[in-house]
Amino acid sequence: MPQTHLSYPQILLRSHNYQKAGERIDKLRCEAITEIWDERGFEGVKGLLAPSGATDLIGRYTASCVTDVCSQSDFIQRCLSLDGELQSKAEWCLRGFLSAIGDDVCAEVINMVAKKLSVEESKRLFVCAPFNASTWRLLDDSSEDIRTGYWKDVVPYWKEQTPAELNELIDCLLEAHRPRAAFHVVCMNFKDIETSRLKRLLHDIATVNTEPAGQVRLDPYYISKALDSLDGRVGVTPYEMAQFEFLFIVALDHSKHGIPNLESQIVQSPEIFVQAVALAFKRSDEGEDPPEWRIENPEQRAVVVSAAYHLLNQIKKIPGTDENGHIDKEALVSWIEQARQLLHKHARGTIGDQYIGQLLARAPEGESGMWPCEAVCEAIEKTASSGIGQGFSKSVYNSRGLHWLGKGGEQERELALKYDNLADRLYHDYPYVAVVVKEIAKSYTYEAKCRDTEAGTEKRLRTPVGSW
């Protein structure tokens, strides 16, 4: 009977023990590379590179065949000599080879080979070496050109580095202007990163834009985790945390960390709220803003405008809120008055009132179960601003978000009834607030009629003409 050769997927599918199947695949690979090496040497390995999509595995298994230092040195030099379409594949093969021969042997061989190579070849050799402190100590004895080229081109990866290694690689990658690459490596170990380094890393991620677009993706989840790790550490002020939250305002939308420090700064200082409005929206007159608000660079201005807009839409904490969640009426009214004065001074009165109303619409229920709570009702009633009322109504209407549309306007009629009843309850004590809430009810009544009309039209279109 002729021998049947199974593919690796077939071996896995026919085995109910994946560990044994993996061991069998490993054995077959070792036997195959040993046979190729014994018969053809390096030329045999070279022939495998072109069609392969896993050349690092070829290098890793070849290491079991090349065991003496002289042969290892020769293998490394021959890999580095390949160029053209094979260069990248040969470098990945070399990565697998160097990772398999062990740190001590690897350091010895690299140290021996590097002396025979040009600066560019030495840099490529170090880039292919294991990404750890053993390689970096060899780099210490190399020229500045090799060290600079290494940190510029190395593909960093996480492999159980020690805290000292993690902090060292951050320093070196930041010096090479590669903060995103550094963040990608350390994102599982923020607790091991020294505070000043983590602050600098986060700052550079947001402000240094020299890495190729799309090369390293920043996951909002890990941005949130990094800020969680930094928040509360000795040497980190709430003001610094608020700055980081603003830098990453888009990534923090719907995140676990959120923007608690930034919200706290805003509810304490209406000036920050006014500046956010000023950055997001132009003046309504021909006047000029303070110099510190002006951003001349168009790209930077676009980024800041987007961040300010996201901030205005993310704030949920009501001014005047204390640590226990209680809203102080006098503090809230004072905040609104100061904010409105500054908004009018800087020609953003109309749009500013709308965003104040939008913020107040996020108020919680009061102790009596009334919504909005008493302090917010008092503040809206005292200002009686149409802009605040419009912003409040718009925010409530938009807070419905995505929803399933039933046939006709039944859902909208239920909401209209809800806000009608609420307006009736508010009318005696807070007549202006009742008018604002009544407008919300009217908008849902109008929408209900539109849904009824759409449902009626759809029904007629689906009914055969002869049955009309």
Side-chain angles (χ1 to χ4, degrees):
M1 293 288 289
Q3 184 177 3
T4 302
H5 294 282
L6 301 176
S7 67
Y8 295 143
Q10 287 174 323
I11 293 172
L12 286 171
L13 288 171
R14 292 193 178 191
S15 174
H16 295 292
N17 188 320
Y18 288 101
Q19 182 177 351
K20 288 185 177 180
E23 291 171 354
R24 184 182 176 192
I25 290 171
D26 183 67
K27 180 182 177 183
L28 290 171
R29 284 172 172 167
C30 285
E31 291 173 351
I33 201 70
T34 300
E35 183 179 340
I36 291 170
W37 184 263
D38 289 344
E39 291 185 6
R40 300 188 59 198
F42 182 82
E43 288 302 314
V45 172
K46 178 181 175 182
L48 293 175
L49 297 181
S52 175
T55 54
D56 57 323
L57 285 178
I58 294 173
R60 182 159 66 85
Y61 283 101
T62 301
S64 63
C65 306
V66 186
T67 54
D68 64 275
V69 173
C70 290
S71 298
Q72 291 166 341
S73 173
D74 180 67
F75 181 85
I76 291 170
Q77 291 180 77
R78 296 189 71 174
C79 281
L80 291 171
S81 70
L82 298 179
D83 54 16
E85 294 181 358
L86 283 182
Q87 179 172 311
S88 176
K89 289 179 176 286
E91 288 173 351
W92 278 103
C93 175
L94 188 53
R95 283 183 172 91
F97 180 84
L98 293 173
S99 68
I101 62 177
D103 284 349
D104 292 339
V105 175
C106 181
E108 180 184 356
V109 175
I110 289 176
N111 198 35
M112 181 174 69
V113 174
K115 298 174 182 178
K116 307 174 185 178
L117 303 175
S118 67
V119 170
E120 178 61 24
E121 288 174 330
S122 293
K123 187 257 303 181
R124 289 173 54 207
L125 171 59
F126 280 111
V127 167
C128 293
F131 188 65
N132 57 28
S134 178
T135 298
W136 306 336
R137 297 294 71 80
L138 294 174
L139 268 174
D140 292 341
D141 298 325
S142 302
S143 69
E144 180 67 24
D145 289 342
I146 294 175
R147 290 197 302 272
T148 301
Y150 170 84
W151 288 108
K152 179 182 176 183
D153 294 342
V154 69
V155 180
Y157 57 88
W158 181 83
K159 193 177 180 182
E160 299 182 348
Q161 285 95 346
T162 66
E165 288 176 317
L166 292 172
N167 284 284
E168 181 179 1
L169 72 86
I170 287 175
D171 288 342
C172 294
L173 287 171
L174 290 184
E175 188 176 348
H177 306 294
R178 300 180 65 193
R180 294 182 176 225
F183 187 82
H184 180 70
V185 179
V186 306
C187 65
M188 301 291 288
N189 301 84
F190 293 124
K191 61 180 177 58
D192 295 328
I193 308 304
E194 189 266 332
T195 299
S196 65
R197 285 186 174 89
L198 184 53
K199 287 198 288 188
R200 185 185 168 201
L201 176 60
L202 288 168
H203 177 271
D204 284 9
I205 287 171
T207 58
V208 175
N209 194 28
T210 56
E211 295 170 278
Q215 186 178 73
V216 181
R217 178 180 175 272
L218 285 179
D219 192 325
Y221 171 80
Y222 289 112
I223 295 293
S224 176
K225 293 283 286 185
L227 292 175
D228 278 343
S229 176
L230 193 62
D231 203 0
R233 289 194 189 187
V234 175
V236 181
T237 66
Y239 179 73
E240 286 178 305
M241 288 303 304
Q243 288 182 311
F244 283 127
E245 289 166 4
F246 183 71
L247 286 173
F248 296 105
I249 188 74
V250 177
L252 293 174
D253 194 10
H254 305 300
S255 70
K256 179 183 176 183
H257 180 83
I259 53 170
N261 295 279
L262 189 51
E263 283 186 312
S264 294
Q265 293 285 323
I266 289 172
V267 300
Q268 292 170 18
S269 173
E271 290 84 358
I272 299 176
F273 176 84
V274 172
Q275 187 173 357
V277 175
L279 290 171
F281 299 96
K282 295 180 179 179
R283 297 177 66 101
S284 59
D285 63 11
E286 299 301 321
E288 290 189 354
D289 287 328
E292 61 270 20
W293 290 6
R294 301 175 205 160
I295 304 172
E296 302 301 331
N297 184 294
E299 292 183 2
Q300 292 179 354
R301 184 168 61 248
V303 171
V304 172
V305 167
S306 176
Y309 183 78
H310 276 83
L311 171 59
L312 292 171
N313 286 287
Q314 283 190 44
I315 308 169
K316 296 179 177 65
K317 190 173 184 179
I318 305 299
T321 304
D322 63 18
E323 295 179 354
N324 299 317
H326 174 73
I327 302 174
D328 182 273
K329 180 188 69 175
E330 298 302 327
L332 172 58
V333 170
S334 174
W335 187 94
I336 292 174
E337 288 177 347
Q338 292 179 57
R340 295 189 75 214
Q341 288 174 4
L342 290 170
L343 288 163
H344 283 282
K345 177 182 177 182
H346 297 292
R348 270 90 171 185
T350 301
I351 190 65
D353 274 359
Q354 291 181 21
Y355 272 93
I356 291 174
Q358 177 176 292
L359 174 57
L360 296 179
R362 296 167 184 154
E365 289 185 349
E367 295 179 359
S368 64
M370 182 177 67
W371 179 88
C373 61
E374 290 80 358
V376 169
C377 284
E378 293 275 2
I380 296 176
E381 196 69 29
K382 184 169 183 177
T383 57
S385 161
S386 60
I388 291 178
Q390 290 170 10
F392 187 96
S393 300
K394 181 180 178 181
S395 180
V396 172
Y397 185 81
N398 290 338
S399 67
R400 189 181 182 190
L402 294 174
H403 55 278
W404 178 264
L405 288 177
K407 290 185 179 181
E410 190 59 35
Q411 295 178 13
E412 288 70 26
R413 272 189 291 276
E414 290 178 2
L415 288 169
L417 180 61
K418 168 188 171 182
Y419 288 106
D420 260 330
N421 291 336
L422 179 58
D424 291 341
R425 289 176 57 196
L426 292 166
Y427 189 77
H428 183 268
D429 295 317
Y430 308 107
Y432 181 71
V433 180
V435 170
V436 171
V437 174
K438 201 77 169 179
E439 288 300 315
I440 301 172
K442 288 180 180 179
S443 67
Y444 280 120
T445 299
Y446 175 78
E447 189 173 345
K449 292 178 180 178
C450 292
R451 295 282 179 265
D452 289 339
T453 301
E454 290 173 1
T457 302
E458 184 179 352
K459 182 178 180 181
R460 287 194 299 274
L461 290 173
R462 291 182 176 181
T463 303
V465 175
S467 60
W468 284 10

